């Protein structure tokens, strides 16, 4: 790809972010994975990298065994948390009405279909954003708890009186157990997907409890823009997602590809 096309992609990325802050980064803010987080193999092919201050801050590779597309090099969670603190607002608001309508539509679909699979009362929603989605469950009388690491979104959740944890799933500490855990477009953001899913598993009440996961499909949704998108650390396909959950002893009830 030519230099002009690359710059065009980067400019579009910045336009989408609509953020003119400068976020300084140092090498100590970066982590590097030695193994594929899905299959634990060590053979990759480099797809792209982003270099700042003469060191790589974001490198995307594809695993040659399971085809997981992941960030071999990426900023740590602590760096993101420092950036979110930098843009903390006294009175934060929802960013996009259009996006919140989509969240509501998604969660209405989740509720309708999950009720057919199992019974649940207490729900944990990981990556709740502004709470528009999980509010669908709360309105139906379910006890709802939220995990949201971004400070402004967490403040909106508190304003809406959700029981919320301002942390990443990797750092979540609670004695609560849940009948249903939702991970709607959050697993791909995790710095350590193996640690995250072990914590999630420990929070399920019993072997009848449900975990619902929704992630972008790498075979259909990943484009060149994604290589510059820091928050996505993993891009799964159907086969390696199944392998990942079976590796962690989950029984898969159903898996399907959908387009919202």
């Amino acid at each position: 790809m030519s230099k002009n096309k690359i710059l065009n992609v980067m400019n579009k990325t910045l336009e989408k972010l609509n953020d003119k802050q400068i976020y300084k980064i140092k090498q100590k803010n970066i982590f590097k994975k030695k193994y594929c987080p899905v299959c634990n193999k060590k053979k990759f092919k480099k797809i792209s990298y982003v270099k700042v201050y003469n060191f790589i801050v974001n490198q995307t590779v594809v695993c040659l065994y399971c085809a997981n597309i992941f960030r071999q090099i990426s900023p740590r969670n602590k760096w993101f948390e420092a950036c979110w603190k930098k843009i903390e607002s006294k009175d934060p608001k929802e960013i996009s009405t259009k996006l919140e309508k989509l969240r509501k539509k998604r969660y209405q679909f989740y509720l309708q279909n999950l009720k057919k699979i199992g019974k649940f009362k207490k729900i944990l929603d990981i990556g709740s954003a502004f709470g528009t989605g999980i509010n669908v469950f709360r309105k139906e009388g379910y006890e709802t708890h939220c995990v949201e690491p971004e400070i402004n979104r967490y403040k909106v959740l508190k304003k809406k009186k959700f029981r919320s944890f301002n942390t990443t799933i990797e750092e979540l500490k609670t004695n609560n157990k849940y009948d249903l855990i939702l991970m709607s477009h959050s697993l791909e953001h995790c710095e350590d997907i193996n640690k995250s899913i072990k914590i999630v598993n420990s929070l399920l009440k019993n072997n009848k409890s449900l975990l619902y996961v929704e992630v972008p499909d790498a075979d259909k949704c990943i484009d060149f823009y994604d290589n510059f998108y820091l928050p996505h650390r993993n891009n799964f396909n159907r086969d390696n997602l199944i392998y990942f959950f079976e590796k962690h002893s989950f029984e898969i009830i159903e898996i399907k590809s959908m387009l919202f």
Side-chain angles (χ1 to χ4, degrees):
M1 183 172 283
S2 70
K3 185 176 180 180
N4 286 339
K5 284 186 178 180
I6 291 172
L7 288 172
N8 186 44
V9 171
M10 293 177 72
N11 287 333
K12 284 184 177 179
T13 303
L14 293 171
E15 284 173 18
K16 287 185 181 182
L17 290 172
N18 193 26
D19 186 352
K20 296 181 180 179
Q21 287 276 0
I22 295 174
Y23 301 98
K24 293 183 179 180
I25 192 165
K26 299 178 180 179
Q27 280 187 307
K28 67 179 183 179
N29 303 129
I30 304 297
F31 72 86
K32 183 175 182 178
K33 294 183 184 295
K34 294 181 179 179
Y35 305 94
C36 171
V38 170
C39 70
N40 212 36
K41 300 293 185 182
K42 203 176 178 180
K43 199 167 184 180
F44 329 122
K45 184 174 182 179
K46 189 190 299 183
I47 296 174
S48 68
Y49 68 89
V50 177
K51 187 179 274 190
V52 179
Y53 307 129
N54 294 318
F55 63 89
I56 295 172
V57 298
N58 195 42
Q59 180 163 291
T60 305
V61 299
V62 58
C63 175
L64 297 180
Y65 286 90
C66 73
N68 179 35
I69 299 171
F70 66 99
R71 308 292 185 237
Q72 186 192 17
I73 300 173
S74 179
R76 297 181 183 277
N77 283 342
K78 294 296 182 186
W79 180 80
F80 283 102
E81 289 166 12
C83 293
W84 294 328
K85 194 69 181 172
K86 189 173 181 179
I87 59 172
E88 181 179 357
S89 170
K90 290 182 179 179
D91 186 27
K93 294 179 174 59
E94 295 170 357
I95 296 170
S96 166
T97 304
K98 184 179 178 180
L99 185 57
E100 295 313 305
K101 286 180 179 177
L102 178 58
R103 287 192 210 279
K104 184 177 179 180
K105 181 181 176 182
R106 276 181 173 153
Y107 279 70
Q108 286 170 336
F109 171 81
Y110 304 159
L111 177 60
Q112 179 185 351
N113 285 274
L114 288 169
K115 284 196 296 186
K116 299 173 185 176
I117 298 172
K119 294 181 179 180
F120 43 89
K121 294 180 180 178
K122 195 170 184 178
I123 303 167
L124 179 67
D125 184 39
I126 299 172
S128 299
F130 300 102
T132 307
I134 192 59
N135 196 45
V136 170
F137 284 81
R138 185 167 69 171
K139 282 185 174 181
E140 291 291 319
Y142 296 101
E143 182 180 350
T144 54
H145 294 185
C146 304
V147 175
E148 178 49 59
E150 191 173 331
I151 185 66
N152 284 333
R153 296 180 179 194
Y154 169 74
K155 282 186 168 185
V156 173
L157 288 169
K158 294 297 285 183
K159 197 184 298 184
K160 293 180 178 179
K161 302 190 184 304
F162 280 102
R163 170 74 184 277
S164 304
F165 302 96
N166 183 210
T167 180
T168 61
I169 186 61
E170 290 102 325
E171 300 300 323
L172 177 63
K173 291 177 175 60
T174 177
N175 293 321
N176 290 297
K177 299 290 182 180
Y178 299 93
D179 305 302
L180 170 64
I181 296 179
L182 300 170
M183 296 187 77
S184 174
H185 293 265
S186 59
L187 182 63
E188 67 269 21
H189 291 262
C190 294
E191 180 178 308
D192 186 337
I193 57 173
N194 289 286
K195 180 180 179 181
S196 298
I197 215 64
K198 285 176 183 176
I199 291 171
V200 167
N201 204 356
S202 73
L203 297 175
L204 291 166
K205 189 178 289 183
N206 53 48
N207 60 8
K208 292 184 179 179
S209 301
L210 298 175
L211 169 64
Y212 178 85
V213 177
E214 183 173 303
V215 295
D217 186 342
D219 292 338
K220 298 179 180 179
C221 302
I222 306 306
D223 56 21
F224 191 79
Y225 159 73
D226 179 77
N227 293 302
F228 294 94
Y229 187 55
L230 294 178
H232 278 186
R233 269 75 168 264
N234 299 273
N235 294 308
F236 304 94
N237 62 44
R238 183 186 182 96
D239 291 337
N240 61 38
L241 189 64
I242 291 172
Y243 173 83
F244 175 73
F245 281 101
E246 288 180 343
K247 181 180 80 170
H248 285 282
S249 303
F250 281 86
E251 177 189 352
I252 297 173
I253 297 171
E254 186 177 358
I255 184 165
K256 62 170 68 174
S257 297
M258 298 191 66
L259 182 64
F260 274 97

